[in-house]
């Protein structure tokens, strides 16, 4: 990083801990705000700039080059005796896995909204996602000083689009020339700003509506002048209940609003006690007692991020929910629930190394990490993102957070033999770091596929292979496996008659075949009369037929859904053998294909696309352009989401993740499952 950093804050009791995720769309200014807070608290001597590649939180080489966050950045600072861990999440939908990891480690979410860009559909979707899990939320409007900034309109959009409970706490204080010179705090009486009295009244009524302090309500109704100190504890209660959402203002580059923001982070945001702990089970799935944020309780922590350091090896970022983690502690590492993404269930006993407090890439040693806090540990060889750490004598398991199903395949090949040797271990490390990545060797085509969330996700993974792991790969077109079936019924003879010195090879089989029902596979039966083909060779004929069908007639298109019947043949008492009848069966398949002709089939998928109602028309139009058959839709008015169901050729889904993101403005998602095969159009019938 090349900058001096302050020593790590000492561990604190959970009441003096705040874990805050910075959430918002790309370009809203999350990292810039975080850097300003690091400088304001003295954690770094000065704030870095995204444009210069000098930020503390964007330390990944890809982030520096692209000037945007692609991983979860974490920094712990101290202000007014309170440890504040800022979790800077990426704004791109391709890295939603990093966002959800940050939310698991946090006790509240601070939505960063640009006064220029306003509230977009992605922000609304993220807001709803946090609401669904009961995450306390607040909003900070940034970029106040930029051209075309409209703070008042942005606050109005927040109230309109984010729903009930959104109240401005700060207004912008402008000088005679209109320049931003500070913020007006509505928690203080006598605030001077247009409409301040009305907004202050609405704010106080909103706070009191969530309060349990009846005396405060009586004072307000009696006309007492309430000051910030009277309201702050009730404001914290209101925010912690996730029904009240204050809107703050800040101009990070000018240092405007930072003190007020830090004051509210410390005094009005929930601590780990108030947010609670996730449910736990035993690793075998049996029930376990509920957790409490107790430093003396049983040890339970979760790996929210995994990185690989060239000197330290694997570094695991942990959120400790219960107990206290100290250096050299023996732990049980348990990872379950990721087998469908290529992460088999695993359990191992290990011992943690040093414990550190993160400040971007810098790791500052701390003596312990008690319940409610976030730390980084080294030397956990088997731990992956999403794994649970607990006591070996009393292992527990925290269910993994919900992750997007990667739907964008990237086919890769090693650039050289040396790269091929390194590719497997490198992909294993990438998969341990990133649970949204699924690595697969296609059973049908043999291609090595990286299943990614989107194109940007794939580009970052390829760049990390090259720069971090020194592995050069090339990308190749993803092949969709085509198959063939017979075009009609036929009868053919497979004949193998070879004579040479010694034993020859002799086998003749007569086979009838017809297309089967879609999905029926290859079936075989025999109706040989009079022992024309001895019983011991019936299995040999079937074996040869199945082997030829799996290989295909030409190229790599298997023959599927055909019913074969062995009806006649000839054998020789000396020259017939198992191998000869296998060959004759294979020859019969080729003769049948020549006689009946074949039809090429392509795979189809059943797709469920979930989008806001306003984008349903665009989604259906795009699906129609992909030869899809829309089979129905279900609306969920409460969530303003519609699920569109369709049947789509698999080849048309190769670029669909990006296309859906475009037509839905980043708010759509989809899942798929194999449906079967149907005849392919002539335009796809290229030589195999």
């Amino acid at each position: 990083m090349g900058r001096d950093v302050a020593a790590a804050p000492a561990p604190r009791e959970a009441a003096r801990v705040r874990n805050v995720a910075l959430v918002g769309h790309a370009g809203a200014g999350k990292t810039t705000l975080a850097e300003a807070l690091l400088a304001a608290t003295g954690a770094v001597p000065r704030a870095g700039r995204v444009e210069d590649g000098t930020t503390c939180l964007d330390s990944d080489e890809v982030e520096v080059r692209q000037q945007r966050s692609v991983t979860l950045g974490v920094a712990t600072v101290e202000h007014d005796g309170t440890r504040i861990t800022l979790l800077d999440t990426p704004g791109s939908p391709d890295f939603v896995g990093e966002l959800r990891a940050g939310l698991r480690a946090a006790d509240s979410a601070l939505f960063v909204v640009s006064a220029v860009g306003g509230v977009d559909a992605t922000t609304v979707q993220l807001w709803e996602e946090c609401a669904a899990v009961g995450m306390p939320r607040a909003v900070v409007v940034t970029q106040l000083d930029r051209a075309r900034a409209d703070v008042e309109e942005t606050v109005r959009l927040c109230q309109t689009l984010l729903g009930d409970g959104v109240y401005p706490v700060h207004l912008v204080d402008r000088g005679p020339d209109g320049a931003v010179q500070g913020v007006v705090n509505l928690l203080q009486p006598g605030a001077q700003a247009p409409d301040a009295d009305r907004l202050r009244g609405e704010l106080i009524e909103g706070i009191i509506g969530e309060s349990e302090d009846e005396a405060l309500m009586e004072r307000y109704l009696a006309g007492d002048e309430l000051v910030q100190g009277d309201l702050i504890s009730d404001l914290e209660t209101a925010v912690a209940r996730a029904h009240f959402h204050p809107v703050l203002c800040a101009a990070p580059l000018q240092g405007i609003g930072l003190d007020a923001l830090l004051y509210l982070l410390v005094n009005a945001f929930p601590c780990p006690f108030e947010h609670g702990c996730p449910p736990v089970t035993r690793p075998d799935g049996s029930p376990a007692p509920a957790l409490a944020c107790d430093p003396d309780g049983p040890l339970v922590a979760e790996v929210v991020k995994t990185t690989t350091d060239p000197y330290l090896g694997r570094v695991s970022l942990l959120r400790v929910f219960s107990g206290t983690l100290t250096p050299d502690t023996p732990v049980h590492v348990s990872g379950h629930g990721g087998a469908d993404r290529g992460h088999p269930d695993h359990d191992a006993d290990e011992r943690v190394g040093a414990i550190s407090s993160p400040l971007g890439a810098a790791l500052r040693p701390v003596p312990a990490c008690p319940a409610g806090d976030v730390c980084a540990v080294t030397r956990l060889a088997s731990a992956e993102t999403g794994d649970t750490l607990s006591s070996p004598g009393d292992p527990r398991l925290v269910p993994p957070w919900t992750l997007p199903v990667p739907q964008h395949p990237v086919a890769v090949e090693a650039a050289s033999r040396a790269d091929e040797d390194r590719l497997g271990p490198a992909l294993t490390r990438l998969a341990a770091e990133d649970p949204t990545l699924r690595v697969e060797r296609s059973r049908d085509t043999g291609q090595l596929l990286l299943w990614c969330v989107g194109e940007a996700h794939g580009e970052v993974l390829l760049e990390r292979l090259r720069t971090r792991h020194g592995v050069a790969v090339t990308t190749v077109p993803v092949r969709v496996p085509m198959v063939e079936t017979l075009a009609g019924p036929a009868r053919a003879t497979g004949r193998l008659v070879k004579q040479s010195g010694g034993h020859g090879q002799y086998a003749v089989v007569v086979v009838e075949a017809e297309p089967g029902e879609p999905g029926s596979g290859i079936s075989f039966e025999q109706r040989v009369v009079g022992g024309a083909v001895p019983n011991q060779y019936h299995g040999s004929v079937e074996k040869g037929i199945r082997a030829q069908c799996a290989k295909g007639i030409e190229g790599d298109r298997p023959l599927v859904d055909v019913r074969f019947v062995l009806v006649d043949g000839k054998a020789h008492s000396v020259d017939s053998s198992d191998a000869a009848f296998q060959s004759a069966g294979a020859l019969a398949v080729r003769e049948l294909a020549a006689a009946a002709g074949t039809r090429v089939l392509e795979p189809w998928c059943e797709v469920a696309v979930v989008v806001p109602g306003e984008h349903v028309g665009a989604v259906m139009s795009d699906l129609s352009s992909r030869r899809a058959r829309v089979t129905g839709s279900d609306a969920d008015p409460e969530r303003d989401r519609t699920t569109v169901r369709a049947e789509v050729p698999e080849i048309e889904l190769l670029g669909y993740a990006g296309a859906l993101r475009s037509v839905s403005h980043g708010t759509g998602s989809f899942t798929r499952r194999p449906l079967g095969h149907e005849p392919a159009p002539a335009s796809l019938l290229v030589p195999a």
Side-chain angles (χ1 to χ4, degrees), residues 611 613-625 656 659-660 662-665:
V611 290
E614 64 181 302
H615 300 305
V616 169
V619 166
M620 287 189 172
S621 176
D622 181 73
L623 286 172
S624 296
S625 71
Y656 188 59
L660 176 60
S662 176
V663 300
S664 69
H665 300 285

Side-chain angles (χ1 to χ4, degrees), residues 606-617 619-620 623 630-646 669 671:
E606 185 177 65
V607 171
V609 185
V610 182
V611 290
E614 64 181 302
H615 300 305
V616 169
V619 166
M620 287 189 172
L623 286 172
V630 176
T631 58
S633 62
D634 296 310
D636 182 354
E638 291 187 4
R639 296 179 55 242
D640 185 29
R641 291 291 184 275
T642 297
T643 301
V644 178
R645 297 184 304 278
S669 63
T671 57

Side-chain angles (χ1 to χ4, degrees), residues 249-275:
C249 291
L253 295 178
Q254 286 70 41
I256 295 173
L258 297 181
D259 289 342
L261 174 57
L262 285 167
Y263 176 84
L264 289 174
L265 285 178
V266 168
N267 295 286
F269 276 53
C271 69
F273 283 134
E274 293 165 296
H275 187 228

